[in-house]
């Protein structure tokens, strides 16, 4: 009888140890052991363009620490609040300066600030900026020769 109780206690202890060591991070959105979460590829949809008659352009690159992993499958989008206002197109100018062109839509009386999100397909990491600029009709944020490099932080 004494051995049965000891065996039961050992089995419960072993079960507790094994269940607390379960593997995590294999699913998108879970922590993969790094400090960043992995995300599924975004499915960004822009706000109905018929209600947003005006536009501005953003030409954006990423910081040196992110440039090393930028590839053609990466995605970038512009937001005002939670509304997606433009989805970027990756253009491989040269390996030193990856660039995204984003056509951003807005209304004539737009007063919100723009923020950006960047998705790295290879690592499945998502980055975002704070609200950094106002929407301005026919304006540019960055240029082909001097792309804007906003501060992207991991989400």
């Amino acid at each position: 009888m004494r051995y049965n109780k000891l065996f039961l206690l050992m089995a419960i202890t072993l079960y507790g140890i094994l269940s607390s060591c379960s593997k995590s991070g294999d699913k998108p959105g879970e922590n993969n052991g790094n400090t960043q979460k992995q995300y599924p590829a975004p499915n960004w949809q822009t706000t109905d363009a018929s209600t947003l008659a005006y536009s501005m352009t953003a030409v954006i690159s990423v910081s040196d620490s992110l440039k090393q992993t930028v590839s053609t499958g990466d995605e970038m989008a512009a937001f005002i609040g939670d509304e997606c206002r433009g989805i970027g197109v990756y253009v491989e100018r040269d390996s030193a300066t990856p660039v995204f062109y984003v056509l951003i839509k807005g209304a004539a009386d737009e007063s919100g600030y723009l923020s950006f999100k960047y998705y790295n397909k290879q690592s499945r990491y998502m980055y975002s900026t704070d609200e950094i600029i106002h929407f301005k009709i026919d304006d540019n944020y960055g240029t082909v020769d001097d792309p804007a490099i906003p501060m992207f932080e991991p989400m």
Side-chain angles (χ1 to χ4, degrees), residues 1-19:
M1 188 71 152
R2 180 178 162 167
Y3 292 110
N4 288 342
K5 287 182 183 179
L6 183 59
F7 178 77
L8 182 60
L9 181 60
M10 288 174 55
I12 291 171
T13 303
L14 184 59
Y15 175 77
I17 291 170
L18 291 176
S19 64

Side-chain angles (χ1 to χ4, degrees), residues 41-149:
N43 187 22
W44 292 317
Q45 301 291 318
T46 56
T47 303
D48 181 15
S50 66
T51 63
L52 304 171
Y54 298 94
S55 65
M56 71 177 283
T57 303
V59 182
I60 299 177
S61 190
V62 295
S63 65
D64 290 340
S65 63
L66 295 175
K67 282 181 185 177
Q68 301 165 2
T69 60
V70 173
S71 66
T72 56
D74 293 359
E75 299 181 46
M76 186 174 293
F79 294 83
I80 293 181
D82 292 332
E83 290 184 13
C84 181
R85 295 298 185 91
I87 299 173
V89 176
Y90 173 72
V91 177
E92 191 171 336
R93 288 179 2 160
D94 58 59
S95 60
T97 312
V99 174
F100 291 86
Y101 291 92
V102 187
L103 180 64
I104 304 164
K105 301 297 275 182
D109 60 348
E110 196 69 64
S111 61
Y113 280 94
L114 288 164
S115 63
F116 296 88
K117 291 184 181 178
Y118 164 63
Y119 177 74
N120 184 290
K121 182 180 178 181
Q122 180 180 359
S123 65
R124 297 187 325 190
Y125 292 160
M126 183 79 71
Y127 302 87
S128 65
T129 68
D130 290 333
E131 295 175 327
I132 50 178
I133 58 170
H134 274 290
F135 176 86
K136 293 180 186 168
I137 297 170
D138 296 331
D139 198 14
N140 294 313
Y141 177 59
T143 64
V144 173
D145 295 324
D146 188 21
I149 304 175

